[in-house]
Amino acid sequence: MKGRPLLPFAIIAIVGIVVMISLSFIGLNQREAMQADEEGEEEVTEIEDPVVAGEELVQASCIGCHGGDLSGGAGPALTSLEGQYTQEEITDIVVNGIGSMPSVNDNEVEADAIAQYLLSISE
């Protein structure tokens, strides 16, 4: 060891570099596999009672702007939409937004449940 004091450090450095490269390739393969899984399967939402599910989604997403009782706040009242909008139009608004309202939910099934709930509570 007296003649070559750097040899142990060189061996450790080489082993470390080999391990880092190996782990990088393993990580890349896992990332590609995860992306392939995400692209291959689209989440399908099944809703037994759309009105009940819509109420839960509205409570989670809409009351911040439209008020706790949906009678209005920063956004307009949502208690009298029947006659103003069809279910398809409300679903489109929930998915795409309108005016200053942003998109709320891009899941068509959940957006449709929100629309059904809002129409069911219309006065």
Side-chain angles (χ1 to χ4, degrees):
M1 279 298 208
K2 288 185 180 184
R4 298 180 189 201
L6 296 179
L7 185 62
F9 297 110
I11 292 172
I12 291 172
I14 291 170
V15 170
I17 291 171
V18 169
V19 169
M20 286 180 12
I21 291 171
S22 300
L23 290 175
S24 296
F25 282 115
I26 291 170
L28 285 174
N29 288 338
Q30 287 180 347
R31 186 177 84 197
E32 290 172 0
M34 288 172 51
Q35 287 175 341
D37 287 344
E38 289 174 2
E39 291 172 1
E41 64 182 57
E42 188 174 313
E43 187 176 322
V44 176
T45 306
E46 292 184 26
I47 297 177
E48 286 184 30
D49 187 354
V51 174
V52 172
E55 180 178 12
E56 293 170 1
L57 292 165
V58 164
Q59 292 298 317
S61 303
C62 305
I63 62 172
C65 295
H66 296 281
D69 58 356
L70 302 178
S71 62
L78 300 178
T79 54
S80 58
L81 297 179
E82 192 164 2
Q84 293 181 357
Y85 296 102
T86 65
Q87 183 174 331
E88 292 78 22
E89 290 172 327
I90 296 171
T91 301
D92 182 61
I93 292 170
V94 170
V95 171
N96 299 313
I98 188 171
S100 63
M101 179 182 153
S103 169
V104 177
N105 191 328
D106 63 353
N107 183 314
E108 290 279 339
V109 175
E110 291 179 352
D112 194 53
I114 291 171
Q116 288 183 42
Y117 169 70
L118 292 175
L119 289 175
S120 74
I121 63 166
S122 287
E123 299 168 347

